[in-house]
Amino acid sequence: MSDVIPLQASLGLSAVLFAIGAAGVVLRRNAIILFMCVELMLNAVNLAFVALSPYAGVQGQVFVFFVIAVAAAEAAVGLAIVISVFRHKESVDIKNFSLLRW
């Protein structure tokens, strides 16, 4: 019995996770949940890279490390901004974030 997960199943799961993350970014107004949805989208892309790496070579797995590094930096900077705004506005609702608008 083979233990290999079919490519279609991995890509389908990746697409579902990315769609859930995109829907969360569009529909939710809580900044913390927005970050979690962006992280979910990045992890969905990582899953697709890993699933496609046997066909494209080791480059897919190398891209995953870059995506993880970018996601960690994004989370650190984003959460620092959210904490700073929360200290001033006492809310994480993005409707109250008019500080960065034109």
Side-chain angles (χ1 to χ4, degrees):
M1 183 170 192
S2 177
D3 292 336
V4 177
I5 298 173
L7 178 63
Q8 293 84 7
S10 298
L11 293 179
L13 177 63
S14 176
V16 169
L17 290 175
F18 191 87
I20 291 171
V25 167
V26 171
L27 299 176
R28 300 302 298 255
R29 295 293 171 236
N30 187 327
I32 302 296
I33 293 176
L34 285 178
F35 279 113
M36 290 173 41
C37 291
V38 169
E39 293 294 327
L40 183 64
M41 290 168 48
L42 290 173
N43 285 326
V45 171
N46 284 343
L47 179 62
F49 278 142
V50 170
L52 292 172
S53 66
Y55 304 101
V58 74
Q59 291 91 0
Q61 295 173 359
V62 171
F63 278 128
V64 169
F65 288 116
F66 287 121
V67 172
I68 289 172
V70 169
E74 174 261 337
V77 172
L79 288 176
I81 291 171
V82 169
I83 289 171
S84 176
V85 171
F86 180 75
R87 286 182 179 167
H88 293 288
K89 301 286 185 177
E90 296 185 359
S91 173
V92 290
D93 191 354
I94 60 170
K95 288 188 304 187
N96 299 330
F97 290 4
S98 62
L99 183 65
L100 300 177
R101 292 185 186 155
W102 291 84

